[in-house]
Amino acid sequence: MAHKSTNITPVAHGVSDQERWRRHGHRGGVLWLTGLPGSGKSTLAFELERRLFAAGYRAYVLDGDNLRHGLNADLGFSPADRTENIRRVGEVAALFAGAGMVVITAFISPYRSDRTAARKAAKGNFHEIFLSAGLAVCEKRDPKGLYKKARRGEISEFTGVTAPYEAPESPELTIDTGAITVEQSLRLLIDHVDRNFKLPAE
Amino acid sequence: MAHKSTNITPVAHGVSDQERWRRHGHRGGVLWLTGLPGSGKSTLAFELERRLFAAGYRAYVLDGDNLRHGLNADLGFSPADRTENIRRVGEVAALFAGAGMVVITAFISPYRSDRTAARKAAKGNFHEIFLSAGLAVCEKRDPKGLYKKARRGEISEFTGVTAPYEAPESPELTIDTGAITVEQSLRLLIDHVDRNFKLPAE
């Protein structure tokens, strides 16, 4: 994208990343969940937020359903709007990571190039987490009845049915949420966070 | 703005506001600095971030100069783009406040209606802080040489010179940064935060 701003000089924050991390006992970064509708993104994100908080982490969920009521309320579901949606989420996630938080994003984010842009925005600690439950499983679950609506033609551009999902090529973690329980999935996620975010005790 | 999203249900966070506030010892909220270019917004914001952090607060600056390289890199300085710029900042500030942070925003934010929208997005703990140094003082300081450029016609729509600044009508705090020192201004800001954000010790 072309930058429209000129006469702009970035200013350094008054607090360094390292100071924030030391205070929190962990580094900041992004856990980017991606997968088909019904693959468990929101369920896992909010439960992970709760478990990480209980374990002393500063954790916060950015969720598609919530953000579309605020920051991204001007965007629909066309390919261009989906890309802009994910671009903004990637930039906001990067800000949260910069504030030393473990930010958990729960967006279908079907396009590979959009996820690559989010990774680039985060400048560092970015973990793509692929919830790999397949279409058959997700459609059978259909927790919000959206697959049914999409099959009846009542939702246009529905990922998995009438819009593509491009699976990650080298995610930091893959969880087959069609094959294991929520509890088992959470265990894998928490282990991953402990390994990649926790600082050694001083 | 019309909401373009349908089939969207907001999901509750896994951690309540109160749980976050108790952990931090303070509530989350927004310190919205507003004032002319050169009124001291960035200087005070970053120094306040550092002082609040040192005092145990979770504080983070959202700054015009920095955000325009990322989230708002697609926006220029026309009235419509300024409004969209501030709309997004207000929504992001609300997310940070929701994560229990004291978020300090440092934007000219010249339009009253835009600041009102940001207040509405924050749903609660929002503090409009007017840095009231007048045009003569700010233009004399001209820390980035932008007033000079604007007077030479090299910047269009420059607030105070060729674009309007609408002063706040009932800000939570007014600081005449043209009349007192940075140190005195910081003292007023920190007192304001201690009074409005700190929780009683349990």
Side-chain angles (χ1 to χ4, degrees):
Chain A
M1 182 194 2
H3 280 228
K4 288 199 185 167
S5 305
T6 51
N7 301 311
I8 294 290
T9 326
V11 180
H13 272 272
V15 183
S16 73
D17 287 349
Q18 285 70 22
E19 285 175 296
R20 290 187 195 276
W21 297 354
R22 216 175 300 133
R23 169 79 55 87
H24 295 173
H26 62 80
R27 68 192 75 227
V30 181
L31 298 171
W32 189 280
L33 308 188
T34 175
L36 288 170
S39 59
K41 296 180 298 299
S42 287
T43 303
L44 286 178
F46 286 111
E47 190 58 31
L48 180 62
E49 178 185 44
R50 146 144 237 100
R51 305 278 180 103
L52 289 178
F53 182 82
Y57 285 95
R58 272 72 181 174
Y60 191 71
V61 172
L62 297 175
D63 171 74
D65 291 357
N66 289 330
L67 254 73
R68 280 188 176 274
H69 285 274
L71 180 64
N72 294 344
D74 55 327
L75 302 174
F77 290 89
S78 70
D81 276 9
R82 280 174 188 256
T83 290
E84 175 62 8
N85 180 45
I86 297 303
R87 185 190 75 81
R88 291 186 198 167
V89 173
E91 295 289 351
V92 172
L95 293 170
F96 271 90
M101 310 272 298
V102 181
V103 55
I104 307 161
T105 66
F107 295 81
I108 301 170
S109 48
Y111 302 126
R112 214 168 274 144
S113 57
D114 294 349
R115 297 192 303 264
T116 301
R119 181 184 292 274
K120 201 175 154 198
K123 292 191 194 76
N125 207 17
F126 184 92
H127 299 260
E128 193 172 1
I129 297 171
F130 179 31
L131 307 187
S132 66
L135 182 62
V137 170
C138 294
E139 184 159 4
K140 195 174 168 198
R141 285 183 185 165
D142 203 8
K144 301 176 196 166
L146 295 179
Y147 280 98
K148 271 193 199 69
K149 280 193 179 181
R151 292 290 180 195
R152 288 198 302 261
E154 292 166 26
I155 304 175
S156 61
E157 317 233 40
F158 189 76
T159 301
V161 177
T162 48
Y165 179 78
E166 302 173 358
E169 285 176 328
S170 48
E172 272 74 6
L173 181 65
T174 298
I175 302 179
D176 184 352
T177 46
I180 66 174
T181 66
V182 168
E183 199 53 44
Q184 289 168 324
S185 299
L186 284 166
R187 201 60 256 154
L188 292 175
L189 284 162
I190 292 165
D191 285 351
H192 186 86
V193 173
D194 282 342
R195 273 200 311 278
N196 290 283
F197 286 74
K198 205 176 249 180
L199 297 184
E202 289 187 1
Chain B
M1 184 192 2
H3 280 228
K4 289 200 184 166
S5 306
T6 51
N7 301 309
I8 294 288
T9 326
V11 180
H13 272 272
V15 182
S16 73
D17 286 350
Q18 285 70 22
E19 286 174 295
R20 290 187 195 276
W21 298 353
R22 218 174 300 132
R23 169 79 55 86
H24 296 174
H26 62 81
R27 69 192 73 228
V30 180
L31 298 172
W32 189 281
L33 308 188
T34 175
L36 288 171
S39 60
K41 297 180 298 299
S42 289
T43 302
L44 285 178
F46 286 111
E47 190 58 31
L48 181 62
E49 179 184 44
R50 146 144 236 99
R51 305 276 181 105
L52 289 178
F53 182 83
Y57 285 95
R58 273 67 181 176
Y60 190 70
V61 172
L62 298 175
D63 171 75
D65 292 357
N66 289 328
L67 255 72
R68 281 188 176 272
H69 285 274
L71 180 64
N72 294 345
D74 55 327
L75 303 173
F77 290 89
S78 71
D81 277 9
R82 279 174 188 256
T83 289
E84 174 62 8
N85 179 46
I86 297 303
R87 187 191 72 82
R88 291 187 199 166
V89 173
E91 294 289 350
V92 172
L95 292 171
F96 271 89
M101 310 273 298
V102 180
V103 55
I104 307 160
T105 65
F107 295 81
I108 301 169
S109 48
Y111 302 127
R112 215 168 272 145
S113 58
D114 295 347
R115 297 192 303 263
T116 301
R119 181 184 292 274
K120 201 174 156 197
K123 291 190 195 77
N125 207 17
F126 184 93
H127 300 260
E128 193 172 1
I129 297 169
F130 179 30
L131 306 187
S132 65
L135 182 62
V137 170
C138 295
E139 184 160 4
K140 194 174 168 198
R141 284 185 186 164
D142 202 9
K144 302 176 194 167
L146 296 178
Y147 281 98
K148 270 194 201 69
K149 280 192 179 183
R151 292 290 180 194
R152 288 198 302 259
E154 292 166 25
I155 304 174
S156 61
E157 317 233 38
F158 189 77
T159 302
V161 178
T162 47
Y165 179 79
E166 300 173 0
E169 284 177 329
S170 48
E172 273 74 6
L173 182 64
T174 298
I175 302 178
D176 184 352
T177 45
I180 65 175
T181 66
V182 168
E183 199 53 44
Q184 288 168 326
S185 299
L186 284 167
R187 201 61 255 153
L188 292 175
L189 284 162
I190 293 165
D191 285 352
H192 187 85
V193 173
D194 283 342
R195 273 199 312 277
N196 291 283
F197 286 74
K198 205 177 250 181
L199 296 184
E202 288 187 1

